[in-house]
Amino acid sequence: CRVAAARGCAIGSVHGRSAEEWSAAIDDARVFGELDQYLTPTGPVPKTKGTWECRGTKSNWKVSMPQDVAKCRRTEVEFLNGLVASTGAVCGEPTPINAALTAAIKRITAGELRPEAANL
Protein backbone atom coordinates (compact mmCIF):
# COMPACT_ATOMS: atom_id res chain seq x y z
CA CYS A 1 0.00 0.00 0.00
CA ARG A 2 2.83 2.41 0.79
CA VAL A 3 4.43 1.98 -2.62
CA ALA A 4 1.14 2.57 -4.43
CA ALA A 5 0.43 5.62 -2.26
CA ALA A 6 3.92 6.98 -2.97
CA ARG A 7 3.13 6.64 -6.70
CA GLY A 8 -0.09 8.64 -6.20
CA CYS A 9 -2.47 5.72 -6.67
CA ALA A 10 -5.86 5.69 -4.97
CA ILE A 11 -6.17 2.51 -2.94
CA GLY A 12 -9.48 0.98 -1.93
CA SER A 13 -10.12 -1.40 0.90
CA VAL A 14 -8.54 -4.84 1.07
CA HIS A 15 -10.72 -7.50 2.72
CA GLY A 16 -12.88 -4.67 3.99
CA ARG A 17 -10.03 -2.84 5.75
CA SER A 18 -8.48 0.44 4.63
CA ALA A 19 -5.11 0.78 2.94
CA GLU A 20 -4.07 3.01 5.83
CA GLU A 21 -4.62 0.13 8.27
CA TRP A 22 -2.54 -2.27 6.17
CA SER A 23 0.23 0.33 5.89
CA ALA A 24 0.14 1.02 9.63
CA ALA A 25 0.52 -2.70 10.37
CA ILE A 26 4.11 -2.54 9.12
CA ASP A 27 5.17 -0.39 12.08
CA ASP A 28 2.42 -1.01 14.65
CA ALA A 29 2.25 -4.44 16.28
CA ARG A 30 -1.22 -3.69 17.66
CA VAL A 31 -2.64 -2.97 14.19
CA PHE A 32 -0.86 -6.04 12.80
CA GLY A 33 -2.44 -8.16 15.54
CA GLU A 34 -5.90 -6.75 14.83
CA LEU A 35 -5.60 -7.50 11.11
CA ASP A 36 -4.24 -10.98 11.78
CA GLN A 37 -7.13 -11.70 14.14
CA TYR A 38 -9.58 -10.30 11.59
CA LEU A 39 -8.32 -12.77 8.96
CA THR A 40 -7.92 -15.78 11.24
CA PRO A 41 -10.85 -18.19 11.15
CA THR A 42 -12.66 -18.77 14.42
CA GLY A 43 -14.03 -22.12 13.31
CA PRO A 44 -13.84 -24.53 10.42
CA VAL A 45 -13.27 -22.90 7.04
CA PRO A 46 -16.47 -23.18 5.00
CA LYS A 47 -16.18 -25.36 1.90
CA THR A 48 -18.71 -23.42 -0.16
CA LYS A 49 -18.25 -21.61 -3.45
CA GLY A 50 -16.90 -18.09 -3.02
CA THR A 51 -15.23 -18.65 0.36
CA TRP A 52 -12.17 -16.69 -0.78
CA GLU A 53 -14.31 -13.57 -0.42
CA CYS A 54 -15.50 -14.41 3.09
CA ARG A 55 -14.03 -12.42 5.94
CA GLY A 56 -11.77 -14.44 8.20
CA THR A 57 -11.32 -17.56 6.10
CA LYS A 58 -7.71 -17.27 4.86
CA SER A 59 -8.87 -19.80 2.27
CA ASN A 60 -7.43 -17.76 -0.58
CA TRP A 61 -3.81 -18.21 0.45
CA LYS A 62 -2.97 -20.89 -2.16
CA VAL A 63 -2.83 -18.46 -5.04
CA SER A 64 -1.32 -19.22 -8.43
CA MET A 65 2.35 -18.69 -7.56
CA PRO A 66 2.66 -21.59 -5.07
CA GLN A 67 0.77 -23.75 -7.54
CA ASP A 68 3.23 -22.78 -10.29
CA VAL A 69 6.20 -23.52 -8.03
CA ALA A 70 4.77 -26.90 -7.03
CA LYS A 71 4.27 -27.79 -10.69
CA CYS A 72 7.70 -26.42 -11.74
CA ARG A 73 6.10 -23.79 -13.98
CA ARG A 74 7.37 -20.28 -14.63
CA THR A 75 5.87 -17.79 -12.17
CA GLU A 76 4.76 -14.18 -12.46
CA VAL A 77 6.86 -13.12 -9.45
CA GLU A 78 8.83 -10.49 -11.37
CA PHE A 79 5.60 -8.86 -12.56
CA LEU A 80 4.01 -8.82 -9.10
CA ASN A 81 6.39 -8.78 -6.12
CA GLY A 82 9.35 -7.81 -8.30
CA LEU A 83 7.49 -4.78 -9.60
CA VAL A 84 6.54 -3.74 -6.07
CA ALA A 85 10.18 -4.09 -4.95
CA SER A 86 11.65 -2.16 -7.87
CA THR A 87 9.00 0.57 -7.68
CA GLY A 88 9.52 0.82 -3.92
CA ALA A 89 13.24 1.30 -4.47
CA VAL A 90 12.55 4.17 -6.88
CA CYS A 91 10.05 5.77 -4.45
CA GLY A 92 12.26 5.31 -1.39
CA GLU A 93 9.83 2.85 0.22
CA PRO A 94 11.59 -0.29 1.46
CA THR A 95 9.93 -3.56 0.44
CA PRO A 96 12.18 -6.24 1.98
CA ILE A 97 9.58 -9.02 1.91
CA ASN A 98 8.72 -8.45 -1.76
CA ALA A 99 12.42 -8.31 -2.65
CA ALA A 100 13.23 -11.47 -0.66
CA LEU A 101 10.26 -13.36 -2.09
CA THR A 102 11.23 -12.36 -5.63
CA ALA A 103 14.82 -13.50 -5.09
CA ALA A 104 13.75 -16.81 -3.52
CA ILE A 105 11.25 -17.64 -6.27
CA LYS A 106 13.85 -16.81 -8.93
CA ARG A 107 16.28 -19.22 -7.24
CA ILE A 108 13.59 -21.92 -7.03
CA THR A 109 12.69 -21.44 -10.70
CA ALA A 110 16.38 -21.69 -11.63
CA GLY A 111 16.66 -24.96 -9.67
CA GLU A 112 19.09 -23.48 -7.12
CA LEU A 113 16.72 -23.75 -4.16
CA ARG A 114 14.13 -26.34 -3.20
CA PRO A 115 10.58 -25.12 -2.47
CA GLU A 116 10.31 -26.32 1.12
CA ALA A 117 9.47 -24.84 4.52
CA ALA A 118 13.11 -24.89 5.65
CA ASN A 119 13.90 -22.26 2.99
CA LEU A 120 11.32 -19.75 4.16
Side-chain angles (χ1 to χ4, degrees), residues 33-81:
E34 288 175 5
L35 290 173
D36 187 57
Q37 184 176 11
Y38 177 77
L39 291 174
T40 300
T42 57
V45 175
K47 301 290 185 196
T48 60
K49 183 178 179 183
T51 56
W52 69 272
E53 296 174 335
C54 295
R55 174 194 170 293
T57 64
K58 288 188 181 178
S59 63
N60 64 333
W61 282 26
K62 182 101 182 202
V63 294
S64 65
M65 194 176 317
Q67 293 177 45
D68 291 340
V69 168
K71 295 174 183 175
C72 299
R73 296 187 301 215
R74 184 172 174 229
T75 72
E76 69 278 10
V77 71
E78 292 181 57
F79 304 102
L80 299 173
N81 301 87

Side-chain angles (χ1 to χ4, degrees), residues 76-120:
E76 69 278 10
V77 71
E78 292 181 57
F79 304 102
L80 299 173
N81 301 87
L83 180 62
V84 171
S86 62
T87 304
V90 170
C91 295
E93 286 290 342
T95 59
I97 293 176
N98 284 285
L101 179 62
T102 302
I105 296 297
K106 283 179 165 182
R107 288 186 62 205
I108 289 169
T109 302
E112 300 169 9
L113 190 64
R114 292 182 48 98
E116 53 191 29
N119 291 324
L120 291 178

